[in-house]
Amino acid sequence: MNQTSPLPVSPTSTVEADRNEDYRPQIHFSPNEKWMNDPNGMFYLDGEYHLFFQHNPDASVWGPMHWGHAVSKDLVHWEERPIALYPDEQGTIFSGSAVVDWNNSSGLGSDNNPPIVALYTYHNAEMEKQGRIDYQTQALAYSLDKGQTWQKYTGNPVIENPGIKDFRDPKVMWHEPTQKWLMVLAQKDHIGFYSSDNLIDWSLESTFGEEIGSHGGVWECPELLLMPVEGTNESRYVLLVSISPGGPNGGSATQYFVGDFDGKTFVLDADWETELAPTVAKFPTGKVFDDFENGVNQWRAEGSAFSSAPTNGGHTNQPPPTGYTGVSLINSFADEDRATGSLTSQSFTITEKFINFRIGGGHHPDKVGIQLIVDGEVVKSETGLNRETLHHASWDVSEWMGEPALLRIIDKEAGSWGHTYIDDIVFANEPAENRLEPAIWLDHGTDNYAGVTFFNTPNSNESRHVFMGWMSNWLYANEVPTNKWRSAMTLPRALKLLNTPKGLRVQSQLVEELDSLVEATEQATSLAPGETISLSSLDSSGRMSALRYSFKVDAELASPVLVGFENDQGEFVDIEIDHKRSVVSLDRSQSGKVGFNEQFSSVQEGTLTTINTQYSVSIVIDRSSLELFIDDGTTVMTSLIFPASVYDTMSVKTDSQPLKQVSVERLGSIWSAK
């Protein structure tokens, strides 16, 4: 079956140029120009959704952070407003949140005109360059005109840095049982809970996460939500925590935890405590190539980064590294990260199956870390995780047994996190293993990060937990092939908590407001293997816009679902849903432009969770994104793509089960409707 709707009358050449560049998403919010990342300060008031976002107004790459601003009455059409918060002498404006102080607890407004209060992180780059670790503090700004203009609090910062390098991203909620404001704050590799009566004076109540969850990178952008368990009279607290790197498919991702909170302490549900229990790390004994306790005589140094190697702990003005053994290690934090250079070992013969070592420092693939060189070629490489703690790493080198090789420790990065730590290089017959830290992920794709929900007042007519995330990944965010602007937000999603066969899980459902964009539909009762369905992506204005594909799956059939989405240029994405193995995978290796980053085209895999024997699948494809929702969003994958045109055809693969109740809808551009 091949069904195609006629093209609209308006030729594409007459379409207005506003937000119509190559790859510009047509149903997602993106800034008119320049850089955007994390959503910030989201709140709902008087029928308007306010979205603030990390913004560099001077370039299309990350830079000095401001708060951009956009508003919407329907979560679909957005109007960009002037920049809300600018950097000042205390620093640039990192992520944070905003609340409607409806009872004027802060005293910054009045009973008749309560303020909007924003809590955000100051990032002092000058202090960072000096090697200090207390360069992030929490500050306050307020608005008396519903978020249009802002005044910074004269007593900033409201929370000083206690000596933690990564100390940021305050998210505030109202805690009804204690009648207090509650802040969750990212503190390196855990979360701090703070309380306040007035949004100005904050007290640390407790911390969570030091020994649970994934710690493959820095913890960021937390949020605590009180959510009813669907179909019951119970509620649980859900703690969202973004992490980068360390995601299930590399780079950035968001994990979450379910438990209870009494106003002071977050306690993980017992089932979750069991499911997330970590396992012990292992570092096998073997032939020690170098532990750096007796200098670096067998290494040749170039540049200045390793001129004082080995190092006794940290350099001056450096947070001391941890996770190494003995007294000395390799540490390239020379000249406060500005130094570059390399250490190259003497030649050796590979005689064991594995090369194990400890590594930490910056996450800059092929710029910072260690490399294995065989026959003049780099065959293995490893970098850090933007952490001052060394972790275990292991290379399987069995295919080069008996061959001569070199090791090279490199530091080619002079910017932030431009240093590496290396210790205990050991040749062994077993691989080193890190402490395994299970995690539950909000989205299994690579491109949904730092998401939070809109704040609602207790008496608001908006009762949903409406979530939006930054649709990118720090692995390649600065490199994606857009120029005038860079980055978009995910489509808004309503978060729900429900019981599944795997336990309590968060469901991410597309908000129903998206249905207002539907302007054309093709349907089929079923699609058999080998059949296709198509619909032109040219909307009523002549713009190439987004498509939403939907179908039903029979979970009682043994065969998986194998579908492809393609355009006339031969570009495609393949998706496999295997409910018997509880696995879903997405292959974007032939999706269009992929060469801007070597990690972009890797196949993504996620854990499939379903609650029904027949479940729905929905895929929304815009010009540069694909969002996959399985069983009403019980499993979600969000992925960037950069094809020459929108994938206007879905095909069912030969080995797939047939699809039922198939439809494809065209969603008109939100920019052409202005």
Side-chain angles (χ1 to χ4, degrees):
M1 181 178 296
N2 192 338
Q3 303 178 355
T4 306
S5 69
L7 300 182
V9 176
S10 303
T12 306
S13 60
T14 65
V15 174
E16 67 272 24
D18 184 43
R19 303 202 198 203
N20 198 31
E21 304 88 354
D22 289 346
Y23 309 123
R24 171 75 79 170
Q26 294 299 291
I27 62 169
H28 296 76
F29 174 76
S30 59
N32 183 51
E33 60 179 4
K34 309 305 182 185
W35 170 271
M36 178 183 76
N37 58 289
D38 305 358
N40 300 152
M42 298 156 60
F43 69 90
Y44 173 78
L45 180 65
D46 294 342
E48 282 192 325
Y49 299 87
H50 289 256
L51 166 67
F52 299 84
F53 51 90
Q54 292 284 276
H55 183 46
N56 178 7
D58 299 318
S60 293
V61 294
W62 188 91
M65 288 291 99
H66 302 56
W67 270 23
H69 186 198
V71 298
S72 174
K73 293 184 182 298
D74 62 1
L75 288 169
V76 174
H77 299 88
W78 294 92
E79 177 188 347
E80 199 163 348
R81 297 283 176 83
I83 289 172
L85 293 176
Y86 287 81
D88 57 35
E89 67 280 357
Q90 295 197 55
T92 56
I93 314 298
F94 269 28
S95 294
S97 59
V99 298
V100 181
D101 185 13
W102 77 95
N103 59 3
N104 193 32
S105 64
S106 64
L108 296 171
S110 65
D111 292 341
N112 294 327
N113 186 26
I116 311 297
V117 175
L119 280 301
Y120 60 91
T121 297
Y122 267 129
H123 180 94
N124 191 312
E126 290 303 314
M127 292 172 63
E128 182 184 17
K129 289 178 182 177
Q130 295 167 13
R132 296 174 59 172
I133 64 173
D134 58 347
Y135 52 81
Q136 292 182 342
T137 57
Q138 314 317 313
L140 183 152
Y142 61 97
S143 171
L144 299 177
D145 55 7
K146 299 183 179 180
Q148 302 312 307
T149 61
W150 294 83
Q151 181 174 337
K152 292 172 183 171
Y153 180 59
T154 56
N156 281 335
V158 295
I159 302 180
E160 297 279 3
N161 190 300
I164 300 174
K165 182 175 182 179
D166 298 296
F167 182 72
R168 56 178 178 261
D169 311 336
K171 186 67 168 76
V172 177
M173 68 173 288
W174 175 252
H175 189 250
E176 184 67 24
T178 58
Q179 292 289 291
K180 286 189 176 184
W181 296 101
L182 176 77
M183 175 193 293
V184 285
L185 190 66
Q187 302 184 168
K188 187 180 179 181
D189 62 352
H190 61 277
I191 299 302
F193 295 90
Y194 295 75
S195 68
S196 175
D197 294 318
N198 59 10
L199 292 165
I200 298 171
D201 303 299
W202 293 91
S203 299
L204 176 64
E205 299 289 354
S206 65
T207 63
F208 170 82
E210 291 95 331
E211 297 297 327
I212 203 79
S214 175
H215 294 80
V218 176
W219 282 26
E220 297 185 304
C221 302
E223 179 169 19
L224 187 66
L225 298 167
L226 177 60
M227 301 180 68
V229 180
E230 296 293 309
T232 76
N233 295 321
E234 299 179 349
S235 294
R236 291 289 190 279
Y237 283 88
V238 175
L239 177 63
L240 306 180
V241 178
S242 291
I243 180 173
S244 184
N249 285 291
S252 314
T254 300
Q255 60 184 322
Y256 65 94
F257 307 87
V258 175
D260 287 312
F261 184 77
D262 62 2
K264 292 182 177 292
T265 305
F266 181 82
V267 178
L268 200 60
D269 268 10
D271 290 346
W272 278 63
E273 191 82 45
T274 301
E275 187 171 2
L276 298 183
T279 60
V280 178
K282 180 178 72 173
F283 197 88
T285 58
K287 178 182 177 182
V288 178
F289 181 75
D290 209 329
D291 59 9
F292 306 106
E293 298 301 316
N294 298 305
V296 288
N297 295 330
Q298 61 176 324
W299 299 77
R300 184 182 76 254
E302 295 183 3
S304 57
F306 302 97
S307 59
S308 60
T311 305
N312 184 351
H315 289 272
T316 304
N317 296 328
Q318 180 189 20
T322 59
Y324 63 97
T325 63
V327 175
S328 301
L329 76 160
I330 298 301
N331 177 355
S332 70
F333 188 88
D335 194 21
E336 298 176 352
D337 258 351
R338 290 183 286 267
T340 59
S342 65
L343 281 177
T344 304
S345 76
Q346 296 176 0
S347 178
F348 60 91
T349 300
I350 297 176
T351 57
E352 271 75 29
K353 294 180 180 179
F354 296 93
I355 297 179
N356 300 325
F357 50 92
R358 306 180 201 270
I359 184 170
H363 182 73
H364 296 286
D366 302 318
K367 292 184 178 180
V368 169
I370 187 170
Q371 300 172 329
L372 175 66
I373 301 169
V374 177
D375 198 22
E377 299 290 330
V378 176
V379 297
K380 294 282 186 179
S381 64
E382 193 78 22
T383 189
L385 297 172
N386 283 356
R387 298 182 68 189
E388 310 294 5
T389 299
L390 283 72
H391 65 274
H392 299 171
S394 183
W395 291 330
D396 183 344
V397 295
S398 54
E399 65 180 285
W400 299 287
M401 292 281 281
E403 296 190 36
L406 300 170
L407 291 171
R408 181 170 294 147
I409 302 172
I410 59 171
D411 183 345
K412 302 177 184 178
E413 175 60 52
S416 179
W417 284 104
H419 61 278
T420 193
Y421 306 123
I422 303 291
D423 196 21
D424 295 334
I425 302 173
V426 176
F427 301 161
N429 288 317
E430 294 180 82
E433 296 177 357
N434 283 294
R435 167 185 158 108
L436 293 179
E437 300 177 323
I440 307 299
W441 302 101
L442 187 69
D443 189 316
H444 294 269
T446 51
D447 299 301
N448 178 7
Y449 190 62
V452 287
T453 69
F454 289 86
F455 174 85
N456 307 316
T457 59
N459 59 353
S460 172
N461 60 3
E462 171 57 275
S463 60
R464 298 171 297 178
H465 294 294
V466 179
F467 170 100
M468 292 176 71
W470 175 47
M471 202 157 53
S472 197
N473 190 307
W474 282 116
L475 287 175
Y476 41 72
N478 285 284
E479 305 169 43
V480 296
T482 63
N483 295 309
K484 180 182 177 181
W485 93 100
R486 191 162 273 140
S487 296
M489 295 298 178
T490 66
L491 290 173
R493 306 164 183 189
L495 301 185
K496 296 182 178 181
L497 186 63
L498 66 159
N499 280 303
T500 77
K502 292 186 166 114
L504 289 170
R505 292 293 186 268
V506 173
Q507 185 181 61
S508 302
Q509 292 184 338
L510 283 175
V511 297
E512 59 267 22
E513 286 90 337
L514 191 68
D515 295 342
S516 67
L517 298 179
V518 176
E519 63 173 37
T521 304
E522 288 292 339
Q523 296 179 323
T525 304
S526 64
L527 283 185
E531 293 187 323
T532 66
I533 189 170
S534 301
L535 181 65
S536 169
S537 66
L538 294 183
D539 72 4
S540 57
S541 72
R543 282 182 180 235
M544 181 173 62
S545 192
L547 298 171
R548 176 168 61 181
Y549 295 87
S550 302
F551 53 85
K552 295 284 188 180
V553 171
D554 189 345
E556 296 183 327
L557 294 180
S559 53
V561 172
L562 303 167
V563 292
F565 300 89
E566 57 196 65
N567 59 21
D568 289 341
Q569 287 78 22
E571 300 162 335
F572 61 89
V573 168
D574 285 340
I575 293 173
E576 177 177 356
I577 303 170
D578 190 335
H579 37 261
K580 296 303 180 184
R581 294 191 302 122
S582 296
V583 172
V584 56
S585 64
L586 186 153
D587 184 351
R588 62 179 177 185
S589 60
Q590 304 297 318
S591 59
K593 282 193 177 180
V594 298
F596 53 87
N597 182 281
E598 64 180 13
Q599 299 177 77
F600 183 80
S601 60
S602 300
V603 176
Q604 302 168 37
E605 282 198 353
T607 302
L608 180 65
T609 300
T610 57
I611 58 175
N612 297 298
T613 55
Q614 184 183 71
Y615 58 85
S616 63
V617 178
S618 180
I619 305 100
V620 181
I621 299 176
D622 207 338
R623 290 189 187 178
S624 54
S625 64
L626 185 154
E627 292 165 277
L628 169 64
F629 300 86
I630 301 174
D631 206 3
D632 293 325
T634 309
T635 302
V636 182
M637 295 187 81
T638 302
S639 183
L640 289 181
I641 49 175
F642 296 97
S645 62
V646 172
Y647 307 132
D648 56 8
T649 298
M650 179 178 73
S651 61
V652 184
K653 304 297 183 179
T654 303
D655 296 330
S656 174
Q657 67 167 269
L659 310 183
K660 301 176 181 179
Q661 300 179 38
V662 183
S663 70
V664 53
E665 301 164 302
R666 183 166 60 243
L667 307 175
S669 170
I670 63 174
W671 307 120
S672 64
K674 293 188 340 181

